[in-house]
Amino acid sequence: MQFTAQQIGTLLEGRIEGNPDVTVGNLAKIEEGKKGDLSFLSNPKYEHFIYNTDASIVIVNEDLQLMQDTKPTLTIIRVKNAYAAFSTILNMYNEFRLDKSGREEPCFIHPEATIGTGGYIGAFAYIGKGAKIGDHVKIYPQVFIGDKVSIDDNTTLYPGVKIYHDCKIGKNVVVHSGVVIGSDGFGFAPQEDGTYKKVPQIGYVQIEDNVEIGANTVIDRATMGATIVRDGVKLDNLIQIAHNVDIGKNTVIAAQTGISGSSKIGERVVLGGQVGVVGHIVVAKGSQIQAQSGVNRSIKDEGKKWGGTPVMPYQPQLRSNVIFARLPELEKRIQELEKLIELKLK
């Protein structure tokens, strides 16, 4: 689709400098912009690109002072916050690009499933008995939705998502390809002969509203009760969330993190990549945990930074890293001191 500078300026409540009738149909980085492209500039480090870009329109902060003339073909739109404004444009562009509706065949929908209005069901999707699908839900090809699963309005399931029976998904949830929700928790009882007997996992997974789940993440169903991912949580790719875990509102978790069973993660927690959390502990709200840390005990102090394995307060952990890097040097000095002592004792 094509948009004029005037239309974009009106949407963003911006001030236009240049041709208000110039049109754009693509989005591009400022250094790669071509005729017909819309770009933005918010970081001063990239200001030099605006003087040579071939983009037709660039969104900038209203207080940007240009040090030289731009190309006469460039139209500038000044807004309060260029980054936020361009994010608005990106969201609109994505909505247009991903706007799908209707039903593709072949797909299987059980006669006892309930399907809302205005949605999309892609080819080879499976919707089981008693499933309840809300309005404007997008179900991409090869999605599996088990029996009695409920999915609320405006949720999107990308290709290959698998949702086991009885799980509950809220409104405005985005689930990326390869995600498995409701697989069995890791429950096995050791036997006298050294074997393991499976403990049935009869709970479910509850995903609340406004959650985004990255590709190939797995969220296990509870042994009993629910594994819960609460409002506003953002999960990266390749995350493992075990049975009966409870993740608090607006928590952010980076890739390859694993959270063991029955642990409770507070609100607004940030877990870096490859963090490991043991089972049956609590992480206080507002905690920030450095990548590759191992959380082996409960964190009770709210709003603090942590790092290392086992986890410790962040600043002492940084100092420990400095000492650790010097261990070979310190070992050598100790050996030299031991030799001096031996000589003196002789």
Side-chain angles (χ1 to χ4, degrees):
M1 297 184 67
Q2 297 287 318
F3 296 93
T4 66
Q6 186 64 61
Q7 290 172 321
I8 296 169
T10 300
L11 172 69
L12 301 177
E13 299 181 350
R15 176 164 53 88
I16 298 171
E17 296 178 0
N19 180 8
D21 297 321
V22 67
T23 60
V24 291
N26 300 298
L27 306 177
K29 296 190 290 185
I30 190 169
E31 64 268 31
E32 299 174 358
K34 304 183 298 293
K35 182 179 179 181
D37 288 346
L38 169 67
S39 188
F40 82 109
L41 172 65
S42 64
N43 191 327
K45 291 195 302 184
Y46 298 99
E47 181 184 331
H48 59 282
F49 288 119
I50 199 172
Y51 304 117
N52 298 306
T53 186
D54 289 321
S56 296
I57 302 174
V58 174
I59 299 168
V60 304
N61 292 326
E62 61 185 8
D63 59 355
L64 175 66
Q65 299 295 319
L66 297 177
M67 305 306 293
Q68 62 187 74
D69 292 336
T70 60
K71 290 186 175 181
T73 54
L74 178 65
T75 294
I76 292 173
I77 301 178
R78 293 184 177 271
V79 296
K80 290 182 179 179
N81 185 319
Y83 189 80
F86 198 69
S87 177
T88 298
I89 296 294
L90 285 173
N91 283 324
M92 287 183 56
Y93 176 79
N94 219 29
E95 286 178 10
F96 282 121
R97 188 165 57 91
L98 300 176
D99 186 23
K100 289 180 173 285
S101 61
R103 186 178 301 179
E104 298 174 354
E105 297 294 346
C107 63
F108 174 81
I109 301 173
H110 194 280
E112 295 181 27
T114 303
I115 310 296
T117 61
Y120 162 69
I121 300 175
F124 303 103
Y126 179 102
I127 301 177
K129 181 179 180 180
K132 295 181 179 180
I133 311 299
D135 296 335
H136 308 291
V137 172
K138 289 184 173 62
I139 300 169
Y140 279 74
Q142 298 184 336
V143 168
F144 171 87
I145 297 172
D147 295 348
K148 297 183 180 179
V149 167
S150 66
I151 300 173
D152 216 332
D153 301 343
N154 300 307
T155 283
T156 298
L157 309 178
Y158 282 106
V161 168
K162 314 298 180 189
I163 305 176
Y164 286 33
H165 58 279
D166 298 325
C167 293
K168 306 176 190 300
I169 314 294
K171 297 178 181 178
N172 306 311
V173 174
V174 177
V175 185
H176 288 279
S177 293
V179 168
V180 178
I181 296 173
S183 49
D184 276 3
F186 192 62
F188 297 89
Q191 305 298 297
E192 290 184 359
D193 62 359
T195 62
Y196 292 88
K197 184 177 181 180
K198 185 176 178 63
V199 177
Q201 307 292 294
I202 62 173
Y204 62 97
V205 175
Q206 169 77 65
I207 309 293
E208 295 188 348
D209 300 340
N210 306 305
V211 171
E212 183 153 350
I213 303 173
N216 293 319
T217 285
V218 178
I219 304 175
D220 289 344
R221 69 193 314 106
T223 305
M224 291 184 290
T227 302
I228 305 176
V229 180
R230 299 190 184 273
D231 274 9
V233 168
K234 311 301 179 190
L235 302 178
D236 199 356
N237 304 330
L238 295 165
I239 291 171
Q240 159 66 17
I241 296 174
H243 57 86
N244 293 94
V245 167
D246 187 328
I247 300 179
K249 294 181 179 180
N250 299 312
T251 282
V252 178
I253 303 178
Q256 298 184 3
T257 288
I259 303 175
S260 300
S262 299
S263 285
K264 298 186 183 301
I265 310 299
E267 298 180 7
R268 303 189 313 278
V269 169
V270 177
L271 300 183
Q274 297 184 336
V275 167
V277 180
V278 302
H280 303 274
I281 67 168
V282 174
V283 176
K285 71 178 181 181
S287 299
Q288 297 181 41
I289 301 177
Q290 184 185 33
Q292 295 191 326
S293 295
V295 185
N296 65 337
R297 58 185 173 83
S298 287
I299 294 175
K300 299 179 180 179
D301 295 335
E302 297 179 0
K304 299 292 181 64
K305 294 182 179 181
W306 305 81
T309 302
V311 76
M312 65 178 71
Y314 186 60
Q315 290 301 327
Q317 192 262 336
L318 287 179
R319 291 193 292 270
S320 297
N321 284 345
V322 172
I323 295 170
F324 181 79
R326 295 181 58 203
L327 284 179
E329 174 193 342
L330 294 173
E331 181 188 28
K332 183 179 178 181
R333 292 175 62 184
I334 289 171
Q335 289 174 346
E336 291 172 349
L337 288 171
E338 286 176 339
K339 289 179 181 178
L340 285 174
I341 293 170
E342 287 177 6
L343 288 173
K344 288 185 178 181
L345 290 176
K346 286 181 179 178

